[in-house]
């Protein structure tokens, strides 16, 4: 059993590990010849992360069978974060298949061995959804909207119309409302097939967005009225980072 | 009382958040007893309203369940059915202990020994039919389902976990393990303080979980053998177990000899223990019949009528708890499961 994944952009690993750590304590990755994937939900099954990371994203990638490796994601994240932007990061499975070896090098070489955990991998299905509205933003712009609403509210309502999208929230201290129109700074695309309005927990959205926004790219917010939302983080090299979030019980 | 399995099993902490959105089957009598023995006034007396009616059980049921619902846990209460003939001896023994405790309680009160009064007061708890009916009524008003077990509530709770209807069984007693509950959750209270018996000390009590498969794996026993270990230690159906045999010896004996009948040194004692019947109770309890596990809405008005008007609870505290619950429900997200086709 061989598994080697070497990359020159540790930022992707960092973003992925911190994204997963917003939902679960323990994560099981699956590696195949095609690449690395992860899918998991938080304990209350409100949110789901679905990641696919193709072999060609890596400088060197070898995997001769299906390898599942379970890690305590905070520990994993801590080790990955020791890598600087310019470092090369190599992850291999130990010969005993009970440890993960993490090598960070750029002249100065470090090697960590991390004990794997028993993977409790049950397969997670994906929700069946169709989206009527799509809002594409820079991660910075999306994070700003979330933070602006979070000052007063624990949830955010998104109201998408053909040329205008309104984000709003209400709390004990008052209301917040932010309108973006086609052409607004940070709004890259607004595509509305059918006007949509739904409400989501800010805690989940803001944690995941902060975790991934450091990796750059853009974020697509897709949803339909009173239906789950999907965030698609478009980061160079990573095929797919999808984050699904169920709407609130009461709108 | 209850079975002392703790030295043989691994108990792991569990976070309340890990039970979010999950069904937990709760042993109703076990819970009501806890309330009747711990929710008491300064001299160890039960809480009563102006009409002299006992309210300890309702107070416990109300605030405990509001706390569980705020955490989005889905409780299902399982009430004992008819006690098995073998358990009646144990129930009578407990009843005698309670009568003795009542006398000591009265005496301590008369002599002004407050600490003793509180101590003995706790041991006098007896559940009557009215308390059961009132508890069921309150559960229904909170939208929480309850089911009637054929016999032992813990057997029915274990069955629910095996049907994957419930994630875990919740009880303080380890008997649930012998009944084969997939998971047993202990200390399922959201506030985590408990008084150490006979001492004026409070300790933090965290929820913990015991996984059935893990118990079997770590002890190296099969299901039948685990029950035999329980019988050696002593269950509700043979209180006290076998003379001179504690949990560790019991495990050693069963691992060495395989089953009760093969253990030479207990042969005489075994003749007086209906062990085959006890095995049957733990291994082949009948499934509950005609249950309906539908979670309903919280009926705010009727709860206020029942608790504040009929039972003279403080309206401020009850509405405060209901407001807290309402806020929690309204800020809650749905589960994605709804969209898994």
């Amino acid at each position: 059993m061989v598994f080697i994944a070497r990359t020159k952009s540790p930022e992707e690993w960092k973003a992925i590990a911190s994204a997963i750590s917003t939902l679960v304590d323990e994560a099981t990755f699956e590696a195949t010849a095609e690449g690395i994937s992860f899918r998991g939900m938080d304990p209350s099954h409100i949110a789901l992360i679905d990641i696919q990371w193709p072999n060609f994203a890596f400088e060197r990638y070898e995997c001769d069978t299906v390898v599942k490796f379970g890690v305590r994601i905070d520990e994993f994240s801590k080790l990955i974060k020791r890598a600087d932007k310019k470092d090369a990061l190599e992850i291999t499975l130990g010969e005993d298949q009970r440890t993960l070896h993490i090598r960070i090098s750029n002249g100065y070489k470090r090697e960590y061995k991390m004990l794997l955990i028993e993977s409790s991998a049950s397969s997670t299905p994906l929700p069946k959804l169709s989206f009527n509205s799509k809002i594409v933003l820079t991660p910075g712009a999306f994070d700003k909207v979330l933070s602006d609403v979070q000052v007063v509210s624990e949830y955010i309502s998104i109201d998408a119309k053909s040329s205008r999208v309104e984000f709003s929230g209400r709390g004990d201290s008052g209301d917040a409302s932010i309108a973006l129109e086609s052409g607004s700074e940070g709004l890259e695309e607004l595509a509305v097939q059918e006007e949509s309005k739904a409400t989501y927990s800010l805690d989940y959205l803001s944690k995941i967005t902060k975790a991934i926004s450091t990796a750059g790219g853009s974020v697509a917010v897709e949803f339909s009225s009173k239906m789950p939302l999907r965030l698609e983080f478009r980061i160079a090299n990573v095929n797919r980072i999808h984050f699904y979030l169920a709407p609130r019980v009461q709108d | 009382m209850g079975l002392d399995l703790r030295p043989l099993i691994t108990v792991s902490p569990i976070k309340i958040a890990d039970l979010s959105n999950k069904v937990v089957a709760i042993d109703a009598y076990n819970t009501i007893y806890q309330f009747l023995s711990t929710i008491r006034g300064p001299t160890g007396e039960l809480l009563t309203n102006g009409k002299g009616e006992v309210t300890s059980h309702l107070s416990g049921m109300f605030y405990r369940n509001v706390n569980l619902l705020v955490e989005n846990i889905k409780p299902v209460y399982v009430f004992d059915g008819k006690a098995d003939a073998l358990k009646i001896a144990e129930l009578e023994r407990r009843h005698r202990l309670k009568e003795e405790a009542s006398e000591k309680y009265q005496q301590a009160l008369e002599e002004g020994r407050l600490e003793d009064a509180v101590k003995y007061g706790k041991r006098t708890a007896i559940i009557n039919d009215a308390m059961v009916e009132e508890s069921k009524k309150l559960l229904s008003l909170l939208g929480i389902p309850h089911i009637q077990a054929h016999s032992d509530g813990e057997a029915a709770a274990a069955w629910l976990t095996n049907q994957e209807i419930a994630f875990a069984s919740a009880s303080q007693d380890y008997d649930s393990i012998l009944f084969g509950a997939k998971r047993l959750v202990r200390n399922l209270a959201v506030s985590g303080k408990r008084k150490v018996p006979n001492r004026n000390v409070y300790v933090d009590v965290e929820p913990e979980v015991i996984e059935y498969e893990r118990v079997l794996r770590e002890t190296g026993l099969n299901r039948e053998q685990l029950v035999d270990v329980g019988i050696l230690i002593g269950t509700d159906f043979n209180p006290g177990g076998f003379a001179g045999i504690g949990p560790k010896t019991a495990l050693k004996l069963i691992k060495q000899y395989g089953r009760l009948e093969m253990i030479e040194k207990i042969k005489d004692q075994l003749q007086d223990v209906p062990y085959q019947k006890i095995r049957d109770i733990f291994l082949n309890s009948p499934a509950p019949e005609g249950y309906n596990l539908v979670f309903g809405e919280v009926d705010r008005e009727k709860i206020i009528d029942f608790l504040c008007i009929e039972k003279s609870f403080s309206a401020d505290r009850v509405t405060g708890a209901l407001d807290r619950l309402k806020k929690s429900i309204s800020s809650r997200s749905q589960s994605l499961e709804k969209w898994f086709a």
Side-chain angles (χ1 to χ4, degrees):
Chain A
M1 205 183 265
V2 178
F3 171 68
I4 302 169
R6 184 183 162 89
T7 170
K8 279 190 169 164
S9 42
E11 299 309 303
E12 291 162 10
W13 267 119
K14 288 186 200 172
I16 284 172
S18 50
I20 295 172
S21 74
T22 66
L23 284 199
V24 292
D25 296 333
E26 299 179 351
T28 300
F29 290 90
E30 186 176 297
T32 62
E34 282 74 43
I36 301 173
S37 63
F38 170 84
R39 193 185 283 178
M41 281 191 281
D42 72 316
S44 348
H45 294 189
I46 292 169
L48 184 152
I49 291 187
D50 182 35
I51 295 172
Q52 259 192 12
W53 203 2
N55 53 14
F56 55 79
F58 295 88
E59 190 193 24
R60 179 182 173 203
Y61 185 89
E62 280 177 43
C63 183
D64 60 356
T65 169
V66 178
V67 178
K68 287 187 179 177
F69 55 98
V71 294
R72 287 199 180 77
I73 195 73
D74 277 349
E75 292 173 11
F76 181 67
S77 197
K78 229 189 278 174
L79 300 183
I80 298 286
K81 280 184 183 155
R82 298 308 303 161
D84 289 327
K85 272 188 180 147
K86 290 174 183 164
D87 288 341
L89 180 70
E90 185 178 273
I91 294 180
T92 56
L93 187 66
E95 271 179 26
D96 55 4
Q97 292 174 23
R98 294 177 54 204
T99 50
L100 204 63
H101 298 202
I102 300 169
R103 291 190 195 87
I104 303 168
S105 61
N106 182 14
Y108 169 50
K109 288 182 185 166
R110 282 154 284 173
E111 175 167 351
Y112 293 108
K113 283 181 188 161
M114 185 185 162
L115 208 56
L116 293 173
I117 54 170
E118 213 175 300
S119 65
S120 54
S122 54
S123 63
T124 305
L126 283 183
K128 298 252 185 311
L129 300 167
S130 61
F131 302 108
N132 292 329
S133 293
K134 178 155 90 174
I135 308 154
V136 184
L137 300 133
T138 61
F142 189 47
D143 187 33
K144 193 163 187 302
V145 165
L146 298 177
S147 302
D148 285 340
V149 178
Q150 205 161 19
V151 175
V152 297
S153 176
E154 293 176 3
Y155 58 88
I156 186 166
S157 297
I158 311 177
D159 190 353
K161 297 194 170 72
S162 57
S163 62
R164 180 188 154 93
V165 55
E166 187 178 306
F167 300 93
S168 61
R170 170 172 293 177
D172 294 338
S173 63
D175 296 2
S177 128
I178 296 146
L180 297 182
E181 287 169 13
S182 303
S184 292
E185 198 189 333
L187 179 63
E188 296 178 350
E189 185 190 342
L190 177 62
V192 177
Q193 287 173 23
E194 194 177 296
E195 292 188 359
S196 313
K197 189 177 181 196
T199 304
Y200 306 96
S201 157
L202 263 174
D203 191 40
Y204 282 91
L205 288 177
S206 139
K207 276 187 188 152
I208 189 84
T209 305
K210 280 190 172 45
I212 300 191
S213 60
T214 53
S218 61
V219 53
V221 182
E222 294 170 282
F223 74 111
S224 300
S225 290
K226 298 185 176 183
M227 299 291 276
L229 156 149
R230 183 170 79 185
L231 299 183
E232 183 177 82
F233 293 94
R234 297 169 178 171
I235 298 175
N237 282 330
V238 185
N239 239 8
R240 180 160 88 207
I241 304 181
H242 281 165
F243 175 81
Y244 294 86
L245 180 64
R248 292 218 328 178
V249 172
Q250 291 179 0
D251 243 313
Chain B
M1 274 307 281
L3 164 76
D4 184 19
L5 271 185
R6 196 168 180 100
L8 308 182
I9 57 182
T10 306
V11 177
S12 319
I14 185 167
K15 284 185 293 214
I16 287 291
D18 291 335
L19 295 171
S20 177
N21 206 21
K22 295 198 166 75
V23 174
V24 177
I26 301 177
D27 184 345
Y29 277 84
N30 188 285
T31 306
I32 297 173
Y33 267 118
Q34 272 181 54
F35 294 144
L36 290 177
S37 61
T38 56
I39 303 179
R40 286 179 174 253
T43 59
E45 78 282 12
L46 285 163
L47 300 190
T48 51
N49 63 7
K51 294 176 237 169
E53 297 163 335
V54 173
T55 54
S56 295
H57 58 299
L58 291 174
S59 174
M61 273 291 185
F62 178 65
Y63 294 108
R64 165 77 55 89
N65 284 306
V66 166
N67 284 340
L68 294 178
L69 295 173
V70 163
E71 298 290 341
N72 198 16
I73 295 173
K74 300 180 163 173
V76 169
Y77 279 80
V78 185
F79 284 84
D80 285 345
K82 198 167 167 290
D84 190 277
L86 285 179
K87 196 166 177 172
I88 287 172
E90 166 67 6
L91 295 178
E92 281 172 355
R93 190 186 67 86
R94 288 183 197 171
H95 196 78
R96 278 198 305 281
L97 287 178
K98 282 171 186 168
E99 284 176 346
E100 282 170 34
S102 287
E103 283 169 25
K104 287 184 183 162
Y105 171 65
Q106 286 304 333
Q107 208 175 347
L109 269 188
E110 282 162 22
E111 293 169 11
R113 286 180 287 117
L114 211 57
E115 251 179 64
D116 283 345
V118 171
K119 181 171 91 183
Y120 291 122
K122 283 181 182 305
R123 300 180 190 169
T124 59
I126 289 174
I127 300 181
N128 62 34
D129 291 349
M131 291 172 185
V132 171
E133 287 318 308
E134 287 169 350
S135 299
K136 286 180 180 171
K137 175 175 174 183
L138 181 57
L139 288 173
S140 303
L141 296 179
L142 284 165
I144 298 172
H146 65 263
I147 73 173
Q148 191 67 48
H150 197 270
S151 163
D152 226 296
E154 294 190 280
W159 183 84
L160 288 172
T161 65
N162 284 304
Q163 297 300 305
E164 313 233 322
I165 296 168
F167 174 77
S169 157
S171 173
Q172 291 307 98
D173 290 347
Y174 296 99
D175 298 65
S176 303
I177 303 283
L178 296 196
F179 283 113
K182 242 180 154 174
R183 293 181 194 82
L184 167 63
V185 172
R186 298 183 74 252
N187 306 335
L188 180 72
V190 181
S191 75
K193 292 269 182 215
R194 180 167 303 151
K195 193 175 172 299
V196 178
N198 297 328
R199 287 169 59 198
N200 202 15
V201 177
Y202 288 80
V203 288
D204 281 330
V205 182
E206 302 294 339
E208 54 190 32
V209 65
I210 296 139
E211 310 236 3
Y212 186 67
E213 283 305 321
R214 187 166 178 184
V215 172
L216 293 186
R217 196 168 68 233
E218 291 183 348
T219 54
L221 301 173
N222 63 31
R223 207 181 151 191
E224 289 75 15
Q225 289 174 322
L226 184 65
V227 170
D228 277 6
V229 168
I231 295 172
L232 282 174
I233 304 170
T235 66
D236 282 348
F237 310 102
N238 66 321
F242 287 71
I245 299 182
K248 288 189 173 152
T249 311
L251 176 61
K252 209 176 114 199
L253 287 171
I254 296 298
K255 290 198 65 136
Q256 190 174 349
Y257 296 99
R259 54 196 306 199
L260 290 174
E261 295 90 328
M262 309 298 283
I263 307 171
E264 193 62 34
K265 74 170 186 185
I266 62 159
K267 246 186 181 150
D268 293 342
Q269 267 192 82
L270 192 60
Q271 286 177 0
D272 302 326
V273 179
Y275 63 94
Q276 277 157 329
K277 181 79 186 42
I278 301 175
R279 277 181 187 154
D280 191 51
I281 292 171
F282 283 117
L283 297 170
N284 303 311
S285 270
E289 289 160 25
Y291 60 89
N292 183 15
L293 296 183
V294 177
F295 291 87
E297 303 280 321
V298 175
D299 194 331
R300 185 185 174 93
E301 296 311 314
K302 284 193 177 147
I303 290 172
I304 292 172
D305 278 354
F306 181 41
L307 292 181
C308 304
I309 297 173
E310 205 177 313
K311 297 293 178 186
S312 323
F313 276 53
S314 147
D316 282 352
R317 285 197 64 202
V318 170
T319 51
L322 290 171
D323 287 346
R324 195 159 57 87
L325 178 55
K326 191 176 167 195
K327 188 159 184 258
S328 156
I329 292 173
S330 71
S331 68
R332 192 169 289 166
S333 293
Q334 303 182 46
S335 159
L336 280 174
E337 278 154 31
K338 214 170 131 183
W339 287 277
F340 292 151

